[in-house]
């Protein structure tokens, strides 16, 4: 085989360019660029025509080239503990929908409730130069804080409230959630109070708020069970079993999540307890199943999707150079059902 024949075999067709798409769609390159980056600014018929040409040609935009010119990658990164829990999944959906509508993509990292893993993810993500980063919670290792400070990127912390965020925070006070649940149960006059909770920082804040509000009124019982985050249905059953074994009298229980509260509720029914007369149970999160348990589960509702939506809007505004308030509060409320 001659060198000329060998060379001809490895020739590749020229890649499709933005100019090619513009020519085939009958629009300007600027309009194609706008359709890719901010599609909401393009007329629907024009956008549809451009998208048909892109689909037919297999064109993939060179976002790196555009990023080098504008110093933007059109990527926003988010680090969350888990996607298996409804409580984070809906926030991610809200976050992603808002970013995609503005021509951004979401780069997702899972920390598994591990601060060291969060630090490792932060290092890997910052090396990819996202336009902004979203973190879960306000508790981070000093190494993570140093990296974020040195990166000079817009930062939004979600799912928590603080007077001193790294940049901007979107969330609520978990301590106040615990206090609200304590007040709700105190008004019903139970003789014993208990909290069943996981060991992540936000669950601990809810527990502490619950205990503090009951201080001077009643001691809060805690089961002697190791509960790692995320706590499980089984954790709830075991914890309530232990609490019932300890003593008698009407018992009011606050679970750190609807999942663990559901487990406690199931255990109470299995043992023949009257709910809410003998045992009252309040969860956290208002998961989809909460209205359908037996009895239906009283819980704390937070607009999970709104957390993601507001986080996305905040970081997009910051990327654009706008000033954003440092703390954006999300409302919460008790949804009273049959369990308490």
């Amino acid at each position: 085989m001659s060198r000329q024949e060998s060379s001809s075999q490895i020739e590749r067709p020229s890649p499709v360019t933005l100019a090619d798409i513009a020519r085939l769609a009958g629009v300007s390159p600027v309009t194609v660029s706008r359709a890719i980056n901010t599609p909401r600014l393009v007329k629907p018929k024009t956008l549809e025509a451009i998208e048909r040409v892109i689909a037919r040609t297999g064109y993939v935009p060179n976002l790196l080239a555009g990023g080098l010119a504008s110093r933007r990658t059109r990527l926003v990164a988010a680090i969350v503990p888990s996607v298996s829990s409804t409580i984070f999944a809906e926030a991610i959906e809200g976050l992603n929908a808002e970013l995609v509508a503005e021509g951004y993509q979401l780069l997702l990292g899972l920390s598994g409730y591990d601060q060291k893993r969060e630090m490792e993810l932060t290092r890997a993500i910052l090396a990819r130069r996202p336009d902004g980063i979203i973190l879960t919670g306000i508790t981070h290792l000093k190494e993570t804080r140093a990296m974020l400070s040195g990166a000079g990127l817009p930062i939004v912390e979600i799912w928590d409230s603080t007077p001193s965020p790294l940049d901007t925070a979107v969330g609520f006070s978990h301590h106040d959630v615990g206090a609200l649940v304590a007040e709700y149960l105190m008004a019903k006059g139970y003789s014993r109070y208990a909290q069943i909770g996981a060991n992540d920082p936000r669950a601990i804040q809810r527990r502490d708020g619950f205990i503090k509000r009951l201080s001077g009124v009643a001691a809060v019982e805690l089961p002697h069970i190791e509960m790692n985050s995320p706590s499980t249905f089984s954790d709830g059953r075991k914890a309530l079993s232990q609490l019932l074994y300890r003593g008698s009298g009407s018992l009011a229980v606050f679970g750190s999540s609807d999942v663990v509260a559901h487990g406690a509720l199931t255990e109470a029914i299995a043992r023949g307890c009257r709910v809410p007369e003998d045992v009252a149970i309040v969860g956290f999160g208002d998961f989809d199943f909460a209205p359908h348990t037996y009895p239906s589960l009283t819980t704390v509702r937070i607009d999970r999707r709104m957390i993601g939506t507001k986080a996305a809007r905040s970081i997009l505004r910051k990327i654009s150079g706008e000033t954003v308030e440092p703390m954006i509060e999300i409302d919460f409320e008790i949804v009273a059902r049959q369990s308490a």
Side-chain angles (χ1 to χ4, degrees), residues 123-140:
R123 181 181 290 112
I125 285 168
L126 291 178
R128 287 157 176 79
R129 300 295 187 267
D131 293 339
I133 187 166
I134 296 169
L135 304 171
T136 303
I138 56 174
T139 306
H140 318 286

Side-chain angles (χ1 to χ4, degrees), residues 53-315:
V53 173
I54 288 174
R56 189 173 76 243
T57 60
Y59 173 66
V60 177
N62 186 349
L63 295 180
L64 178 60
L68 290 173
S70 65
R71 301 193 69 181
R72 291 184 182 174
T73 59
R74 305 202 74 81
L75 284 177
V76 169
I79 300 176
V80 298
S82 169
V83 293
S84 62
S85 171
T86 302
I87 210 157
F88 296 116
E90 290 187 14
I92 293 167
E93 287 175 1
L95 174 63
N96 187 64
E98 203 73 16
L99 292 175
V100 169
E102 296 298 325
Y104 280 77
Q105 298 300 324
L106 177 63
L107 178 63
L108 191 62
L110 305 181
S111 66
Y113 297 92
D114 184 333
Q115 289 188 354
K116 184 178 179 183
R117 178 60 181 153
E118 181 191 65
M119 177 191 69
E120 293 166 349
L121 282 166
T122 299
R123 181 181 290 112
I125 285 168
L126 291 178
R128 287 157 176 79
R129 300 295 187 267
D131 293 339
I133 187 166
I134 296 169
L135 304 171
T136 303
I138 56 174
T139 306
H140 318 286
L141 295 179
K142 63 180 181 180
E143 293 88 348
T144 303
R145 290 176 174 272
M147 284 189 287
L148 291 167
S149 177
L153 294 175
I155 303 164
V156 175
E157 295 165 289
I158 59 174
W159 280 104
D160 220 329
S161 177
T162 176
S164 54
L166 290 173
D167 194 357
T168 292
V170 177
F172 55 95
S173 169
H174 291 263
H175 190 279
D176 289 352
V177 167
L180 179 65
V181 173
E183 289 176 1
Y184 177 83
L185 291 172
M186 283 165 55
K188 297 182 179 297
Y190 291 90
S191 58
R192 299 170 61 203
Y193 296 86
Q195 200 274 340
I196 300 173
N199 59 1
D200 68 87
R202 290 168 296 283
I204 290 171
Q205 287 180 51
R206 295 194 292 276
R207 179 201 67 193
D208 290 349
F210 185 73
I211 292 172
K212 184 174 181 179
R213 184 62 187 86
L214 281 161
S215 177
V217 177
V220 175
E221 300 177 45
L222 303 173
H224 299 303
I225 295 175
E226 180 73 21
M227 287 193 199
N228 295 318
S229 297
S231 51
T232 66
F233 180 88
S234 176
D235 289 334
R237 292 203 66 164
K238 291 175 183 176
L240 189 75
S241 175
Q242 187 182 108
L243 291 167
L244 292 173
Y245 180 76
R246 281 187 193 171
S248 59
S250 59
L251 174 64
V253 178
F254 175 34
S256 65
S257 72
D258 280 356
V259 173
V260 76
H262 187 199
L265 180 60
T266 300
E267 184 67 18
I269 296 300
R271 287 174 171 266
C273 299
R274 296 175 303 158
V275 178
E277 293 85 359
D278 300 330
V279 178
I281 299 170
V282 177
F284 172 80
D286 196 23
F287 288 9
D288 291 345
F289 63 77
H292 308 293
T293 60
Y294 178 77
S296 57
L297 183 64
T298 296
T299 185
V300 179
R301 175 185 291 161
I302 313 100
D303 192 335
R304 300 181 290 269
R305 188 179 180 92
M306 184 55 67
I307 289 177
T309 299
K310 288 195 173 184
R313 290 174 182 170
S314 297
I315 209 154

